[in-house]
């Protein structure tokens, strides 16, 4: 699965007989919803391995330039 939310996992689990093994979830400094929406709790409850994915290109290389430390400082309100 990729980026399935808890309701989607429940629906899929109700439709198939085999256990779900993996849920690839997007998580990065700009998107922490996976930590807040019970996705990881559900993975633990049903022994589904979460695999984190992050599209770093848009964060680290906007316009082809490296700005990751600036983006992190901005997100964390350090600057």
């Amino acid at each position: 699965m990729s980026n399935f939310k808890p309701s989607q996992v429940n629906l899929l689990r109700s439709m198939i007989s085999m256990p779900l093994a993996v849920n690839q979830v997007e998580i990065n400094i700009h998107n922490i919803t996976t930590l807040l929406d019970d996705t990881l709790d559900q993975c633990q409850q049903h022994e589904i391995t979460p695999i984190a994915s992050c599209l770093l290109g848009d964060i680290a290389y906007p316009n082809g330039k490296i700005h990751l430390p600036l983006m992190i400082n901005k997100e964390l309100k350090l600057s």
Side-chain angles (χ1 to χ4, degrees):
M1 301 175 294
S2 182
N3 294 314
F4 274 47
K5 299 296 179 200
S7 61
Q8 295 168 313
V9 171
N10 288 336
L11 179 62
L12 185 57
R13 289 182 71 239
S14 74
M15 302 300 288
I16 62 173
S17 60
M18 68 176 90
L20 301 174
V22 174
N23 190 3
Q24 178 181 330
V25 295
E26 181 179 353
I27 188 166
N28 59 58
I29 62 172
H30 296 289
N31 182 357
I32 62 166
T33 56
T34 303
L35 297 173
L36 307 174
D37 70 0
D38 295 330
T39 297
L40 296 179
D41 293 332
Q42 185 182 51
C43 285
Q44 185 175 20
Q45 179 183 8
H46 297 292
E47 297 181 357
I48 300 169
T49 302
I51 297 180
S53 70
C54 177
L55 304 175
L56 285 177
D58 295 337
I59 296 170
Y61 303 107
N63 302 319
K65 298 179 182 176
I66 300 174
H67 294 285
L68 187 56
L70 297 175
M71 296 297 288
I72 292 171
N73 286 341
K74 180 179 175 186
E75 189 68 24
L76 298 175
K77 311 284 191 268
L78 297 176
S79 57

